[in-house]
Amino acid sequence: MKAVVMAGGFGTRIQPLTNSIPKPMLPIMNRPMMEHTIVSLRDLGITEFIILLYFKPDTIKDYFKDGSAWGINITYVVPDDDYGTAGAVKKAQELIGDENFIIISGDLVTDFDFQQIFDYHKAKNSKLTITLTSVENPLEFGVVIANEEGKIEKFLEKPSWGEVFSDTINTGIYIIEPEILEYIPKNENFDFAKDLFPLLMRQGIDLIAGYASGYWRDVGNPESYRDVYEDILAGKIKFNIGGEAVKYPDGVLICEEDNTLDDSVEVVGIVVIGKDVVVKKGSKLSNVVIGNNVTIGSSSKVANTVIWDDVEIGKNAKLDGCVICCNNRIGKNVTAKSGLILAQGCEIGELVTIEKDVTIWPNKVIEDAAIVSRSVILGSKYKNSIFEDGMVIGKSNIELSCEMATKLAEAFGSQLPIGSTVLVSRHYDKSSRMLKRAFLGGLLSAGVDVVDYNAIPSAVMRCSLSFHDKYTAGVHFHQKIDDPTSTVITFYNQEALRINNDVAKKVEKAFFKENFRRVDYSQIGQIHELDHKREYNEYKKGMEAILHSHRFKCLDCRIAVDLTHGLASEVFPSILNDLGIEHIMFNAYADEQRLSNINTLVKRSYEDMGAVINALKLDAGFILYPHGQRLDIICDEGKPLSKQTALYVVLNLLNMDAKAHGTKKRVFLPTWAADIVYFDHLIIERGQYANFKSSKMKTYDLIATGEGNFTFSEFATHRDSMYATLKILEMMVNHGVKLSTIIDSLPQFFYTTIQVPCTQALKGKMMRKFLEDAKGKESSTLDGVKIWLDKNDWVLMIPDQYSDLLNLTIQAKSNEKGEHYTQLYTSKIEEWAKA
């Protein structure tokens, strides 16, 4: 058998540890991570290794050379492009020959019994065996389900929490027979999980699951790197540390030769030391791993810390829970609290205090007596990823600094053709103004032109973006609605929809590698400022044309509208006037101070609008949230509608509209939306809204999130609370119906969404337990796990993507049954968590 080692990754998520070396070369106990894997396989008799390289290949070649120092033979394959995981292996087909082979990643730490994996593959007469294991957090891996015979039935690569259906994941360790390589195309980007496995299943080739027990960790981020050391020193993994062991009263020192430790040095727990290390008088080492050529000054206390090579630490230093990379100089009397990541080539002055969870990127100088309370160059939030659903969110002027905004723009602009034009807009708050200005410079440096809208509603900008083919993308800045200290930067594609995950990852890769396109001075982009007149006019005319074509006449209809101090105040009042809609307007002016507490603002609006609607007998009230997407509705009796009731009201109105036109309308809803009412003239599809394209959006008449966001595709394929207000009003008027009448016609049933605490580590287990609980019942794993308990009764569990919570939605025909199910499943979750 031969071994194919995947060692070409960029190590983006584990930056800045991989700033100077590829991830497989990160030291684990003073040896490259990949070396431990190679030695484990060598000890089982494998002597032929093929190493697939791509990023910084020379670093790996220079270390391992031909492999003779380890008693093996190494051949390197360096593809000329990124061909994906399977495509890269295809490049090694001639070297693999007619033997079966193991594929393994060079950036993992494991103590699996590989011989057991080989034997299982042979016993099953398998063509391709995928090694599986259970992990606490399956989000970054491929989740797999196999039947009792070991045949894989279902898998999903890198799911969201809503898609996770088990905590059993693909480890990336495969045993493959050589004929499988014939299914991989040459010179194409082809991935094992996304492309090859589905193809083989369609061809009727069984994929066999081989379960492995023991320790397995993909070292994907700085936290997991630190955790590996903690696990090794705690004995959680079978690991040969090597070296000579010297016992101390409170610990063990494992060291190589040529070290100088003063007799007064205290050793606690396990301490591992490389070569040419000097530890001076009165120092204390507790669970520390030290590389080569390191000096630690007198009276220093170093605990739970990893120190790479060529590091000098001054006297009286206090380091706890740190990772110190190569070529660093740390002055005397420095205190670094838990979580420091110090990248290579930094100089830390004397008397410096570094607070918890700080990352200092390469080649930085920290002056004497500085107090470092936040990450230098890059906020801690972005250690692993930048984007969340096409958005970048961070603390204004801390995580999202001007420097960060400029680099982000350079990374984004580098993905666009030179000479492209990007629309950029913002809200009126100071943070958005500041960051947008920094962002513009980054786009210009990448050779991208900018149309600067300044302050304009995002809905208007998105309409303009979708109307004009000459614009390539759009970016909008605004204050986070529930956190005034944070800014949200949203990136849109040419269709005015948020960029998808693939584009976001390309931008992240360019950002972390600082792979920016700096164009010649003659190609630097230009800024074109517009005064909004054309955009507002196009927006109004487009909206009015659709409504007039429906013969919308608002005779004697009177509404209240609260614009919650958003920029809609610049255009929506005039639209209402042009359409002849009598209205009373609330909060139609800019006020940054009031926006700092949106909950208080909305609560007061409910009270004020309810009183006015009752007193003046208005037809309805509409609250448009500041950034132009979410909409709250107040009925003619002055009562605010819950999100679910508002959705059912809109569906009823749309059903009336479809019936009047003798047609059926298509609707897309999330899986958690109630489905107890049937609509004769609506075709409702429920699922997960993710990475939709404009062409798919246009196949639906309405896309609703269940959170007060409505997209009526006849006008635009994005959420727009202004058009949604007018469309709802149009349907009310055309069908002569009051909102309170619709509400009274709705059936009474139990529907609730609650949040149950659940740590990140238990989420995968909960998905598996819910799936086990669903056996024998109708169920779905389209988004989370949904279990039907009766014809109209169901429970849906979706782990929260960003918080330590489970979102539990329950629908039942009666309150009694609903409360029973709520108690039943919250109790089950508590029991499963304890088990």
Side-chain angles (χ1 to χ4, degrees):
M1 178 180 283
K2 294 181 180 179
V4 177
V5 183
M6 311 290 284
F10 289 98
T12 302
R13 294 180 298 124
I14 202 168
Q15 287 274 20
L17 298 182
T18 50
N19 184 73
S20 60
I21 59 175
K23 189 162 65 162
M25 297 300 290
L26 292 179
I28 299 292
M29 294 295 169
N30 294 333
R31 298 284 185 275
M33 186 168 11
M34 188 166 75
E35 182 177 344
H36 297 291
T37 300
I38 288 174
V39 169
S40 295
L41 293 174
R42 180 205 64 186
D43 291 347
L44 291 176
I46 296 178
T47 57
E48 292 292 326
F49 285 79
I50 301 164
I51 299 181
L52 304 181
L53 305 175
Y54 191 64
F55 178 62
K56 296 185 183 295
D58 291 339
T59 305
I60 295 175
K61 286 182 178 180
D62 291 345
Y63 183 85
F64 287 101
K65 297 184 172 61
D66 62 359
S68 57
W70 289 266
I72 60 175
N73 180 57
I74 294 178
T75 308
Y76 299 97
V77 175
V78 186
D80 56 354
D81 202 349
D82 184 1
Y83 292 110
T85 52
V89 173
K90 181 73 172 181
K91 286 287 183 181
Q93 185 170 8
E94 290 186 10
L95 296 171
I96 292 169
D98 297 329
E99 294 184 59
N100 64 0
F101 58 98
I102 180 173
I103 290 182
I104 192 166
S105 172
D107 54 9
L108 60 82
V109 177
T110 182
D111 62 5
F112 284 168
D113 184 340
F114 288 108
Q115 188 62 55
Q116 190 177 58
I117 295 172
F118 301 155
D119 293 344
Y120 179 81
H121 173 81
K122 187 176 181 180
K124 284 288 185 179
N125 196 25
S126 171
K127 298 295 183 186
L128 195 157
T129 301
I130 301 174
T131 305
L132 309 181
T133 196
S134 295
V135 296
E136 292 179 343
N137 182 357
L139 288 190
E140 292 300 323
F141 313 106
V143 178
V144 182
I145 284 183
N147 64 19
E148 293 176 357
E149 288 76 40
K151 179 181 174 182
I152 291 174
E153 295 180 328
K154 187 175 184 181
F155 55 85
L156 184 65
E157 183 68 9
K158 294 187 179 180
S160 68
W161 271 122
E163 297 169 311
V164 170
F165 44 78
S166 174
D167 60 352
T168 304
I169 60 99
N170 174 5
T171 64
I173 301 171
Y174 312 133
I175 311 296
I176 300 179
E177 296 301 314
E179 56 262 39
I180 293 296
L181 293 175
E182 299 301 325
Y183 292 89
I184 304 173
K186 288 184 178 179
N187 300 322
E188 289 185 24
N189 191 295
F190 208 71
D191 188 79
F192 278 112
K194 288 190 292 186
D195 302 309
L196 180 62
F197 296 164
L199 172 63
L200 295 175
M201 293 177 81
R202 289 195 299 271
Q203 296 285 341
I205 296 174
D206 289 347
L207 304 181
I208 301 300
Y211 292 92
S213 59
Y215 187 93
W216 179 92
R217 185 182 286 275
D218 171 70
V219 185
N221 55 48
E223 289 76 15
S224 62
Y225 179 76
R226 190 186 287 114
D227 289 344
V228 164
Y229 275 92
E230 185 177 315
D231 293 342
I232 292 172
L233 296 179
K236 293 182 179 179
I237 172 175
K238 298 172 188 174
F239 198 92
N240 181 17
I241 297 175
E244 182 183 349
V246 180
K247 291 186 177 180
Y248 278 68
D250 297 313
V252 175
L253 173 66
I254 300 173
C255 64
E256 299 192 33
E257 54 196 38
D258 300 325
N259 294 306
T260 305
L261 270 69
D262 189 89
D263 292 341
S264 63
V265 171
E266 187 179 352
V267 172
V268 178
I270 298 176
V271 174
V272 180
I273 292 179
K275 298 177 181 178
D276 300 316
V277 174
V278 176
V279 184
K280 296 184 178 179
K281 184 178 180 180
S283 291
K284 179 179 179 180
L285 306 177
S286 177
N287 290 325
V288 176
V289 178
I290 301 172
N292 301 324
N293 192 29
V294 174
T295 299
I296 298 177
S298 59
S299 302
S300 293
K301 292 179 173 57
V302 183
N304 309 308
T305 290
V306 179
I307 301 172
W308 294 4
D309 299 343
D310 302 308
V311 174
E312 183 179 332
I313 299 171
K315 68 178 183 180
N316 201 34
K318 295 179 176 61
L319 308 179
D320 187 11
C322 306
V323 176
I324 311 296
C325 297
C326 297
N327 300 307
N328 279 300
R329 301 293 173 264
I330 298 174
K332 59 186 178 184
N333 298 305
V334 168
T335 299
K337 299 178 182 178
S338 178
L340 169 66
I341 303 289
L342 183 64
Q344 69 166 31
C346 296
E347 293 186 21
I348 310 298
E350 299 178 5
L351 291 166
V352 169
T353 299
I354 303 173
E355 300 293 343
K356 287 184 65 176
D357 297 325
V358 165
T359 298
I360 299 177
W361 281 64
N363 306 313
K364 300 296 169 283
V365 176
I366 307 298
E367 296 181 355
D368 293 349
I371 299 175
V372 184
S373 59
R374 62 184 177 88
S375 295
V376 179
I377 293 301
L378 193 61
S380 60
K381 185 180 182 69
Y382 307 114
K383 287 176 186 171
N384 303 327
S385 62
I386 301 174
F387 284 90
E388 298 176 9
D389 297 329
M391 300 179 292
V392 178
I393 306 170
K395 295 293 182 184
S396 306
N397 220 20
I398 300 174
E399 292 169 335
L400 278 181
S401 62
C402 288
E403 182 180 12
M404 167 78 171
T406 303
K407 284 180 62 178
L408 193 56
E410 290 176 307
F412 182 60
S414 298
Q415 310 310 308
L416 307 175
I418 294 174
S420 300
T421 302
V422 174
L423 298 187
V424 183
S425 60
R426 61 169 173 83
H427 200 59
Y428 57 72
D429 59 279
K430 290 182 288 186
S431 297
S432 296
R433 184 193 302 266
M434 174 191 74
L435 293 172
K436 190 213 73 174
R437 287 179 174 175
F439 191 88
L440 295 185
L443 288 178
L444 300 182
S445 75
V448 173
D449 292 338
V450 173
V451 173
D452 185 3
Y453 277 175
N454 290 308
I456 195 172
S458 63
V460 179
M461 185 273 272
R462 292 175 77 176
C463 276
S464 188
L465 177 58
S466 61
F467 288 167
H468 298 283
D469 293 337
K470 64 181 179 180
Y471 301 141
T472 306
V475 182
H476 184 77
F477 294 72
H478 69 79
Q479 179 179 293
K480 195 167 186 285
I481 196 165
D482 56 353
D483 178 10
T485 68
S486 295
T487 296
V488 179
I489 310 175
T490 309
F491 292 73
Y492 300 108
N493 62 20
Q494 197 167 22
E495 297 179 331
L497 301 174
R498 291 181 193 169
I499 61 172
N500 61 33
N501 292 336
D502 290 340
V503 175
K505 285 177 180 176
K506 288 179 181 177
V507 177
E508 285 182 358
K509 185 177 288 187
F511 179 94
F512 285 122
K513 291 178 60 186
E514 297 195 6
N515 187 14
F516 307 139
R517 180 180 66 217
R518 299 276 168 74
V519 299
D520 180 77
Y521 78 95
S522 62
Q523 294 178 308
I524 292 173
Q526 300 181 69
I527 297 177
H528 308 278
E529 292 196 4
L530 297 181
D531 61 5
H532 305 167
K533 286 182 181 178
R534 185 194 73 175
E535 287 68 41
Y536 281 149
N537 192 46
E538 285 181 344
Y539 182 73
K540 288 169 61 178
K541 282 189 173 181
M543 190 178 288
E544 291 166 4
I546 292 174
L547 294 170
H548 282 312
S549 71
H550 295 175
R551 297 189 179 134
F552 171 41
K553 292 184 180 179
C554 193
L555 301 175
D556 300 323
C557 65
R558 302 158 71 224
I559 62 172
V561 178
D562 190 334
L563 297 180
T564 59
H565 306 291
L567 285 168
S569 59
E570 294 188 0
V571 64
F572 199 46
S574 64
I575 293 174
L576 294 174
N577 291 334
D578 290 350
L579 290 170
I581 300 171
E582 188 176 340
H583 60 276
I584 296 173
M585 195 67 65
F586 292 79
N587 299 320
Y589 59 93
D591 191 329
E592 194 170 347
Q593 188 67 32
R594 288 182 180 271
L595 279 184
S596 64
N597 193 337
I598 190 69
N599 292 329
T600 300
L601 179 63
V602 170
K603 183 180 178 182
R604 182 173 178 181
S605 182
Y606 283 162
E607 296 170 353
D608 292 346
M609 292 183 73
V612 169
I613 289 169
N614 278 326
L616 300 181
K617 303 192 182 306
L618 304 182
D619 294 292
F622 299 91
I623 300 176
L624 283 65
Y625 280 66
H627 307 309
Q629 295 187 8
R630 182 176 161 186
L631 177 69
D632 282 359
I633 304 172
I634 299 177
C635 77
D636 49 291
E637 293 179 345
K639 299 174 183 176
L641 276 58
S642 69
K643 293 172 186 174
Q644 184 57 48
T645 303
L647 177 59
Y648 261 176
V649 163
V650 173
L651 292 176
N652 266 277
L653 289 168
L654 195 65
N655 191 59
M656 293 177 193
D657 216 41
K659 183 178 180 180
H661 289 92
T663 186
K664 290 202 172 188
K665 292 187 181 288
R666 299 189 72 231
V667 178
F668 185 89
L669 299 177
T671 52
W672 61 82
D675 57 7
I676 209 162
V677 179
Y678 177 76
F679 298 94
D680 291 336
H681 295 271
L682 299 182
I683 301 170
I684 298 178
E685 181 182 334
R686 288 175 167 81
Q688 186 182 47
Y689 176 82
N691 294 334
F692 273 26
K693 292 186 177 180
S694 181
S695 56
K696 183 171 183 179
M697 300 277 283
K698 288 175 181 176
T699 64
Y700 302 102
D701 297 282
L702 170 67
I703 301 99
T705 66
E707 297 290 323
N709 299 312
F710 301 97
T711 299
F712 290 96
S713 62
E714 65 181 11
F715 176 63
T717 54
H718 56 261
R719 306 163 187 171
D720 186 337
S721 57
M722 287 185 273
Y723 188 78
T725 296
L726 296 174
K727 182 64 181 176
I728 292 167
L729 186 60
E730 178 206 44
M731 292 188 291
M732 288 168 52
V733 170
N734 287 348
H735 303 295
V737 63
K738 290 183 176 292
L739 295 181
S740 57
T741 304
I742 297 175
I743 294 167
D744 290 342
S745 70
L746 296 176
Q748 297 296 311
F749 63 97
F750 181 90
Y751 179 87
T752 188
T753 297
I754 61 173
Q755 292 183 317
V756 182
C758 177
T759 64
Q760 191 87 346
L762 287 174
K763 286 180 180 177
K765 178 181 179 181
M766 289 301 147
M767 294 296 285
R768 175 164 52 84
K769 287 292 187 182
F770 262 81
L771 205 60
E772 291 172 0
D773 189 79
K775 285 185 178 177
K777 309 182 186 81
E778 183 183 355
S779 64
S780 167
T781 57
L782 186 64
D783 189 12
V785 177
K786 190 173 187 177
I787 305 170
W788 276 265
L789 305 167
D790 204 342
K791 181 181 178 182
N792 292 304
D793 301 351
W794 49 257
V795 57
L796 169 66
M797 189 276 289
I798 304 177
D800 193 277
Q801 190 79 359
Y802 307 111
S803 303
D804 287 343
L805 298 167
L806 301 178
N807 297 302
L808 203 63
T809 301
I810 296 165
Q811 174 183 289
K813 192 79 173 174
S814 67
N815 287 339
E816 184 180 359
K817 291 174 73 177
E819 288 167 2
H820 167 70
Y821 295 141
T822 304
Q823 179 61 42
L824 175 64
Y825 276 91
T826 51
S827 298
K828 283 186 176 187
I829 290 170
E830 290 177 8
E831 291 172 10
W832 293 335
K834 292 175 184 177

